[in-house]
């Protein structure tokens, strides 16, 4: 459900805690719930700008009232669930994770960026039944200590819960502190690494596209797959770290099994 998530237990706990949506109104519908777990491996960049991919967990936990379809969630969303959901609008918390980057990992004597735990929120709206727009922002309380966020849109085609296909664009953003942690080179770091000094401004980091597919294989089990490709742009793409040690191409892919239970299905 998220990229850059190397700690499976931590991610699973976060997903479980935030999976159940709250609703602004109770329409009197059955309170009986269905639950769907999605779990499998994913490959994603080890850190922003990395040329290497790391294996991590592809996790999602969804709950919905019996007799209703599971609400669409993109496979590359951050962990979280709506606290407020009214009509076509939803708002709630989001959590993000990025693995640490050490000098040994990147192959140059650059400052370590510790494991980043990001806390923030999202807002999304369904412009039509088939088109969702989402904006989210998160602040790291460890690691890079900056702000990062994403603007996304998804076209969704589905046949109830039998199958669902989605595709849409992504724009990733970050403030100067976030982007300098991964793409900047201070004078001190330039002296030890041999790279040119480089300062990065906040703004757009990458543009990309994500596609996902989920299909039920029977009453309880299903399969979920997704692919995402991002391309670094602007000063993130022009950084000597990217050009000499990393990559402008940032692909991700995941495959998982799903299991649905409860609510009579």
């Amino acid at each position: 459900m998220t990229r850059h998530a190397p700690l499976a237990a931590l991610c699973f706990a976060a997903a479980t805690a935030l999976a159940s949506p709250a609703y602004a109104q109770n329409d009197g519908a059955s309170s009986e719930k269905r639950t769907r777990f999605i779990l499998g491996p994913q490959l994603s960049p080890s850190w922003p700008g990395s040329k290497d991919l790391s294996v991590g967990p592809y996790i999602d936990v969804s709950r919905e009232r019996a007799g209703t379809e599971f609400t669409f969630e993109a496979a590359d969303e951050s962990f979280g669930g709506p606290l407020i959901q009214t009509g076509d609008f939803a708002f709630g918390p989001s959590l993000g994770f990025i693995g640490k980057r050490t000098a040994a990992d990147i192959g140059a004597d650059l400052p370590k960026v510790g494991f980043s735990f990001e806390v923030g929120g999202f807002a999304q709206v369904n412009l039509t039944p088939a088109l969702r727009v989402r904006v989210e922002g998160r602040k790291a309380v460890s690691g890079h200590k900056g702000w990062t966020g994403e603007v996304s849109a998804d076209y969704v085609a589905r046949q109830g819960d039998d199958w669902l296909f989605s595709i849409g664009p992504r724009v990733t953003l970050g403030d100067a502190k976030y982007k300098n942690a991964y793409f900047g080179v201070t004078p001190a770091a330039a002296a030890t690494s041999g790279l040119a000094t480089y300062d990065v401004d906040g703004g757009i980091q990458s543009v990309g596209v994500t596609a996902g597919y989920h299909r039920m294989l029977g009453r309880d089990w299903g399969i979920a797959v997704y692919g995402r490709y991002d391309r670094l742009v602007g000063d993130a793409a022009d950084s000597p770290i990217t050009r000499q040690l990393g990559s402008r191409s940032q692909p991700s892919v995941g495959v998982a099994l799903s299991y649905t239970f409860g609510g009579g299905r």
Side-chain angles (χ1 to χ4, degrees):
M1 189 175 175
T2 188
R3 298 173 303 150
H4 314 304
L7 301 181
L10 180 60
C11 293
F12 183 80
T16 303
L18 294 173
S20 300
Y23 295 89
Q25 298 177 347
N26 188 339
D27 58 9
S30 170
S31 61
E32 192 174 6
K33 298 283 188 177
R34 296 185 303 145
T35 303
R36 182 171 69 194
F37 286 92
I38 294 177
L39 178 62
Q42 67 171 343
L43 286 172
S44 59
S46 301
W47 56 81
S50 174
K51 65 181 178 181
D52 299 318
L53 300 178
S54 297
V55 179
Y58 171 17
I59 300 173
D60 187 25
V61 185
S62 300
R63 299 195 72 203
E64 198 59 75
R65 288 190 179 99
T68 61
E69 299 173 344
F70 281 106
T71 301
F72 165 71
E73 298 176 14
D76 58 339
E77 288 179 11
S78 296
F79 289 110
L83 287 178
I84 298 173
Q85 185 167 317
T86 176
D88 294 323
F89 175 80
F91 170 82
S94 65
L95 302 177
F97 309 86
I98 304 178
K100 68 179 180 179
R101 189 197 76 183
T102 67
D105 293 330
I106 199 168
D109 192 4
L110 292 167
K112 175 183 175 180
V113 183
F115 174 80
S116 298
F117 175 44
E118 302 167 345
V119 180
F122 74 89
Q124 63 187 37
V125 60
N126 292 314
L127 299 179
T128 72
L131 180 61
R132 190 197 71 170
V133 177
R134 177 182 171 104
V135 178
E136 71 173 79
R138 303 179 306 277
K139 173 71 167 66
V141 298
S142 63
H144 64 74
K145 297 290 185 69
W147 280 92
T148 183
E150 187 167 89
V151 180
S152 64
D154 289 279
Y155 169 77
V156 181
R158 68 188 303 170
Q159 183 175 315
D161 287 332
D162 291 341
W163 61 266
L164 184 150
F165 171 78
S166 65
I167 189 168
R170 303 289 189 265
V171 178
T172 304
L173 307 101
D175 68 1
K177 182 177 289 188
Y178 166 82
K179 292 176 71 176
N180 271 296
Y182 296 104
F183 304 106
V185 183
T186 65
T192 59
S193 68
L195 299 174
T197 301
Y198 193 75
D199 187 61
V200 188
D201 296 325
I204 295 175
Q205 173 182 304
S206 66
V207 296
V209 62
T210 295
Y213 182 69
H214 179 266
R215 186 176 187 90
M216 295 300 295
L217 301 177
R219 176 181 170 84
D220 302 322
W221 292 93
I223 187 169
V225 296
Y226 89 92
R228 172 166 174 157
Y229 178 79
D230 292 291
R231 183 76 173 176
L232 297 180
V233 297
D235 47 13
D238 294 336
S239 165
I241 296 176
T242 302
R243 289 186 286 107
Q244 298 181 43
L245 303 170
S247 174
R248 295 181 180 180
S249 295
Q250 302 283 281
S252 302
V253 63
V255 60
L257 289 175
S258 70
Y259 181 71
T260 303
F261 62 92
R265 294 185 307 290

